[in-house]
């Protein structure tokens, strides 16, 4: 949900007949106080739901947690810091260094006292963390082994305790020095052994191990042109995969969701590929996932399984929620099938038909329901699901509880190895599960079987953390139109908008047929702004409108 702050713009509308809705804009409209990153799939966020900005704002690694806060896009992290994965300049390879309260991620080693800002997405893994910036660039920090941070690793357990830019393409130290920063990125994903970035042209670049191209430097994930045999691929003859709108990773496996609804996967565990014809245990290059998974609008990935979010008929997921289907291993109920059910290569419905987001990690999943509640299934270490019973595993979705009742008002969630965290509508963060490394951020290292509040960072005034998930990505203008009855001008943007902060009607200058006209009222409906007119516009009437940003 986005607050609206317009920059000055002008466009002209020539009204067609009553049946015509398509009108031409004379320029691109810039909306908001920060630049917006172009999405690979226009009009649909990479995560496929209206909660994209929230879902990208929180990420859980094995034993640490990171969340975007406030309108300038600062980043807070807490938990284990053995390899510098908190980005605050500290590290201790012995694993004894932890922070059980949130700490700010800093800009870089060159600016160690300046808070990192402009963060629009975060992705945490076991031993490293990456952030996508509003500039379309990526910074990573933590363990640099196997080039995990998109920079050349000089020895196996090298650490980088401050964020540094990922480079565009390299294979060794020499090519790294000559490489520019990676840019035009619209989404990121991390796993234990690798990281990936979705580029705005629908291609994917990855770095680390099992990354879909030759070597472990930064490079395009490449479609193999040789026979479909693992280990037999000449990457130099293949072209980069394209048409990707979302990426996800777990362990040594990565997958990309294409704009046509199909899925490509590459890496070490074919049980996630939903295709029983693949007999090899791994694939170094992308393969098509089984057809039963086609049509997903978004998906979450765990260690040996995946769960997708599917639209219900013609109704959008943002409006009514979607159906969750899962496939892969069922060791701890991660595909929500009876305990005796083995791995499945087919996407199966799990009984949730109104979800707007799904997230997984290791052997656990949670889904955000459209009414703001949460349901989880799979491994339940330390009662990370904050459930009514502390079962080790749930083979069907169970509600997260607080005070004995289903938790409500949830805006986003993320799942770790043994903890779960939620962003609440108030901007607070609540977590439950294991806490031996301070990953719950409540100021202790005591495990919590029920949800507990994350505390404010040191110097933050005490009490609970607030401002989590604050939106600092401007909505992007898509089109303008006049309603079929000529009673309103409709401006459409690329995502749902908030009606809590509307510009005044006096901020607009509207000329209809050359005559200045006062706008009667302004309203918001979903991703559109409606400028209600005092009189109807006749067919073929020219409309000229400008708007002055009151924040200038």
């Amino acid at each position: 949900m986005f607050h609206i702050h317009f920059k000055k713009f002008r466009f002209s509308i020539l009204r067609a007949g009553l049946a015509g809705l398509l009108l031409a804009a004379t320029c691109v409209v810039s909306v908001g106080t920060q630049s917006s990153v172009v999405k690979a799939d226009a009009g649909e966020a990479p995560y496929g739901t209206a909660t994209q900005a929230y879902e990208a704002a929180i990420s859980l690694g094995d034993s640490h947690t990171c969340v975007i806060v406030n309108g300038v896009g600062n980043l807070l992290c807490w938990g284990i810091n053995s390899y510098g994965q908190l980005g605050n300049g500290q590290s201790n390879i012995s694993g004894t260094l932890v922070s059980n309260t949130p700490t700010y991620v800093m800009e870089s080693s060159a600016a160690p006292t300046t808070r990192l800002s402009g963060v629009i997405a975060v992705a945490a893994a076991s031993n490293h963390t990456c952030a996508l910036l509003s500039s379309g660039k990526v910074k990573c920090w933590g363990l640099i082994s196997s080039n995990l941070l998109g920079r050349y690793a000089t020895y196996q357990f090298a650490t980088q305790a401050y964020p540094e830019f990922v480079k565009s393409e390299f294979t060794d130290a020499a090519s790294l020095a000559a490489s520019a920063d990676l840019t035009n990125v619209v989404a990121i994903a991390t796993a234990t052994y690798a990281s990936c970035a979705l580029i705005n042209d629908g291609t994917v670049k990855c770095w680390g191990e099992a990354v879909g191209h030759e070597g472990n430097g930064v490079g395009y994930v490449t479609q193999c042109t040789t026979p479909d045999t693992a280990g037999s691929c000449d990457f130099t003859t293949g072209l980069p995969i394209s048409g990707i709108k979302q990426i996800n990773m777990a362990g040594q496996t990565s997958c990309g969701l294409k704009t046509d609804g199909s899925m490509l996967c590459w890496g070490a565990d074919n049980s996630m590929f939903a295709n029983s014809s693949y007999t090899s245990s791994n694939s170094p290059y992308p393969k098509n996932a089984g057809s039963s998974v086609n049509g997903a609008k978004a998906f979450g990935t765990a260690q040996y399984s995946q769960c997708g979010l599917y639209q219900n008929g013609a109704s959008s997921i943002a409006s009514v929620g979607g159906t969750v289907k899962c496939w892969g291993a069922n060791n701890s109920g991660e595909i929500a099938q009876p305990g005796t059910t083995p791995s499945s290569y087919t996407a199966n419905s799990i009984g949730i038909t109104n979800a707007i987001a799904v997230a997984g990690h290791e052997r656990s999943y949670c889904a955000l329901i459209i009414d703001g509640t949460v349901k989880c299934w799979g491994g339940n270490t330390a009662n990370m699901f904050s459930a009514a019973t502390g079962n080790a595993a749930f083979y069907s979705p169970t509600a997260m509880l607080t005070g004995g009742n289903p938790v409500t008002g949830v805006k986003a969630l993320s799942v770790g190895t043994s903890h779960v965290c939620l962003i609440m509508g108030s901007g607070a963060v609540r977590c439950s599960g294991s806490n031996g490394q301070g990953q719950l951020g409540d100021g202790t290292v005591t495990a919590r079987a029920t949800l507990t509040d994350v505390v404010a960072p040191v110097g933050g005034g005490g009490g609970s953390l607030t401002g989590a998930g604050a939106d600092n990505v401007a909505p992007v203008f898509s089109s303008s139109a006049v309603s079929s009855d000529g009673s309103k001008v409709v401006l459409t943007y690329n995502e749902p908008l908030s009606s809590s902060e509307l510009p005044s009607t006096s901020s607009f200058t509207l000329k209809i047929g050359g005559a200045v006209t006062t706008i009667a009222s302004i309203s918001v409906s979903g991703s559109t702004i409606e400028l209600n007119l005092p009189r109807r516009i006749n067919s073929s009437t020219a409309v000229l409108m400008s708007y002055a940003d009151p924040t200038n």
Side-chain angles (χ1 to χ4, degrees), residues 367-427:
L368 176 58
I369 308 304
I370 197 167
D371 62 2
T373 60
V374 175
K375 291 185 176 180
C376 301
W377 61 98
N380 185 37
T381 304
N383 203 34
M384 59 193 284
F385 296 160
S386 188
T389 59
N391 295 355
F394 285 94
Y395 290 85
S396 61
T398 185
M400 287 195 80
L401 304 179
T402 180
N405 298 308
V407 61
T408 59
V410 180
K411 293 299 183 182
L413 57 83
S414 186
V415 180
T417 298
S418 57
H419 72 301
V420 175
C421 290
L422 314 174
I423 295 180
M424 311 304 294
S426 62

Side-chain angles (χ1 to χ4, degrees), residues 146-153 166-179 205-208 213-219:
S146 299
N147 299 334
L148 277 175
L149 308 186
R151 303 176 70 87
Y152 189 68
V166 173
K167 293 300 181 178
S168 180
E169 198 158 1
F170 72 90
T171 56
D172 53 28
S175 57
L176 173 70
S179 175
K205 283 190 171 183
C206 296
W207 52 97
H213 61 73
E214 198 71 48
N216 59 9
V218 177

Side-chain angles (χ1 to χ4, degrees), residues 283-371:
S283 174
Y285 56 90
K287 291 180 178 180
N288 290 317
S291 59
S292 70
V293 309
N294 288 355
K297 294 297 184 181
F299 70 110
T301 300
Q303 190 68 40
Y304 305 107
S305 60
Q306 299 196 80
C307 291
L309 190 56
Y310 294 80
Q311 187 169 310
N312 294 317
S315 299
S316 69
I317 291 174
S319 62
V320 299
T323 293
V324 178
K325 298 180 181 180
C326 300
W327 59 94
N330 196 43
N331 300 314
S332 299
E334 49 264 64
I335 62 173
Q337 300 299 311
T340 56
T341 302
S343 299
S344 173
Y345 288 100
T346 301
N348 296 297
S349 297
I350 66 168
I352 296 177
T353 60
N354 55 351
I356 56 174
V358 60
H361 192 101
E362 199 70 23
R363 298 184 179 185
S364 309
Y365 285 94
C366 291
L368 176 58
I369 308 304
I370 197 167
D371 62 2

Side-chain angles (χ1 to χ4, degrees), residues 143-146 153-158:
L143 180 66
I144 200 171
S145 178
S146 299
T154 54
Y155 61 94
Q156 185 176 6
F157 291 107

